[in-house]
Amino acid sequence: RPCHRRWRRQSGQRCDWRAMTMSAVPASLAHRTAEAPPAPVEVRFEKLTLAHLDTLLDVEFSAYSHPWSRGNFTDAMASGYECQLLMAGEHLLGYFVAMLGVEEVHLLNITVAPTYQRQGWARVLLDALALWARGRQAQWLWLEVRASNLRAQHVYETHGFRRVGERKRYYPAAQGQREDAVVMSLPL
């Protein structure tokens, strides 16, 4: 059965977000030929391990001007934060890192690899995060996003997040400057 909110509400059953798999052909994975359409690729979630870290860091450093370090990710794993990879075959589409609090989850990092952006993968990551958070009885999702990152803010707003505040000089910026963060939340 499909693993989404409507099905859960109607059936009253819990949904295991880790079991979410889809047959899909991301546009950037599709090598079109005139003779045969590309075969579907299974999309799945995997727990971040040290074995994945070099690939993840390649994506992190290509996606951000001020990326997380190897130490940030290893600390997150050691702290027991939820660190999930979205994979299509052997390709890393994206990932998220989230921290569980008291009746809330704080999204610390969410990234779609630049090659796979604008294809709906951020929504898949956010859906999986929301399912995981609900499974831990969280009532809220929280995040910060750079004030200049209007594209990400739009993705979050279309997913149901609302602006609830601002953190002044929260993010590092070019030439030793700092950038404000927009604080957003989503009731679960």
Side-chain angles (χ1 to χ4, degrees):
R1 293 191 177 201
C3 192
H4 54 71
R5 277 182 244 156
R6 184 179 310 126
W7 176 75
R8 183 175 179 200
R9 279 195 307 260
Q10 290 171 351
S11 70
Q13 296 180 15
R14 290 190 64 190
C15 181
D16 181 3
W17 71 272
R18 289 178 209 268
M20 287 175 52
T21 59
M22 296 163 275
S23 289
V25 181
S28 51
L29 290 179
H31 302 288
R32 301 190 185 277
T33 65
E35 297 159 14
V41 176
E42 181 184 72
V43 175
R44 69 192 181 285
F45 282 92
E46 290 183 20
K47 190 112 178 129
L48 173 62
T49 66
L50 292 175
H52 298 110
L53 205 47
D54 287 336
T55 302
L56 179 142
L57 287 169
D58 287 344
V59 170
E60 180 78 7
F61 279 78
S62 69
Y64 298 112
S65 61
H66 293 83
W68 274 26
S69 68
R70 177 178 296 271
N72 292 131
F73 286 103
T74 57
D75 287 349
M77 288 187 291
S79 297
Y81 295 167
E82 190 64 22
C83 305
Q84 290 291 322
L85 308 174
L86 178 61
M87 305 291 295
E90 295 305 311
H91 298 275
L92 176 60
L93 301 178
Y95 48 89
F96 70 79
V97 177
M99 176 179 66
L100 181 63
V102 177
E103 296 187 349
E104 66 182 32
V105 168
H106 191 142
L107 178 59
L108 303 173
N109 187 324
I110 185 168
T111 304
V112 174
T115 305
Y116 304 110
Q117 291 179 359
R118 297 181 184 255
Q119 297 175 33
W121 299 118
R123 178 168 282 288
V124 172
L125 288 163
L126 289 168
D127 284 343
L129 174 63
L131 282 170
W132 175 80
R134 284 186 190 98
R136 271 114 195 113
Q137 286 71 52
Q139 301 298 309
W140 292 92
L141 277 177
W142 295 89
L143 63 82
E144 291 89 12
V145 59
R146 286 181 182 270
S148 64
N149 193 345
L150 300 178
R151 193 166 106 197
Q153 289 175 46
H154 176 74
V155 168
Y156 299 137
E157 287 170 347
T158 59
H159 202 79
F161 282 85
R162 297 293 167 246
R163 295 167 175 254
V164 294
E166 194 174 275
R167 297 189 198 278
K168 295 288 186 190
R169 302 175 45 79
Y170 185 77
Y171 288 108
Q175 298 150 353
Q177 299 295 310
R178 305 290 296 179
E179 182 176 355
D180 295 346
V182 174
V183 180
M184 302 183 84
S185 68
L186 173 71
L188 300 171

